[in-house]
């Protein structure tokens, strides 16, 4: 998987380089050159779900088993067994609780893996 800058003046990079670079050298954001189709997604295991979603964007730059281990380690510190549980608040309304991570902030859901 390759990534390009939204401003179009930075070099095309792979996943690992984009992860370390943050912003592109031209001040843009890196985005995938193409968006992959999502595979069949697992149910009930948040780390496995995260792995299934991120894998196509990582490509072969990180071995799949190593990426899964990273996902499992990242979300093992969450205080709820569902990691980010859905709580029913009305007949047709559900709320996703994003505060069960180590700092009790929603940012843990995305940044714990980074």
């Amino acid at each position: 998987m390759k990534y390009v800058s939204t401003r179009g003046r930075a070099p095309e990079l792979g996943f690992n380089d984009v992860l370390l670079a943050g912003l592109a050298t031209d001040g843009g954001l890196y985005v995938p050159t193409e968006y992959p189709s999502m595979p069949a997604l697992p149910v009930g295991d948040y780390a496995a779900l995260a792995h299934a979603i991120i894998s196509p964007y990582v490509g072969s730059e990180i071995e799949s088993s190593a990426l899964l281990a990273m996902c499992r380690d990242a979300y093992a510190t969450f205080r709820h067994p569902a990691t980010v549980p859905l709580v029913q608040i009305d007949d047709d309304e559900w709320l996703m609780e994003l505060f069960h991570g180590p700092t009790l902030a929603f940012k843990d859901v995305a940044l714990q893996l980074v």
Side-chain angles (χ1 to χ4, degrees):
M1 172 70 62
K2 293 294 183 183
Y3 293 82
V4 294
S5 170
T6 54
R7 294 190 180 172
R9 295 184 304 271
E12 189 174 280
L13 298 177
F15 177 82
N16 290 339
D17 292 327
V18 167
L19 184 64
L20 294 174
L23 291 176
T25 54
D26 63 2
L29 300 174
Y30 277 110
V31 295
T33 56
E34 60 186 78
Y35 289 90
S37 298
M38 281 293 111
L41 298 176
V43 175
D45 179 353
Y46 192 86
L49 176 63
H51 174 261
I53 291 171
I54 198 172
S55 286
Y57 294 94
V58 173
S60 62
E61 293 202 32
I62 299 174
E63 186 180 325
S64 183
S65 61
L67 183 60
L68 179 58
M70 289 177 204
C71 291
R72 293 207 185 285
D73 288 346
Y75 298 114
T77 61
F78 280 62
R79 293 173 183 87
H80 194 282
T83 309
V84 286
L86 288 173
V87 178
Q88 189 167 10
I89 58 173
D90 201 357
D91 290 340
D92 296 323
E93 294 179 354
W94 296 75
L95 182 71
M96 183 179 279
E97 294 181 345
L98 303 176
F99 57 82
H100 294 284
T103 70
L104 305 177
F106 71 93
K107 65 180 177 62
D108 291 335
V109 177
L111 295 178
Q112 199 62 14
L113 183 56
V114 175

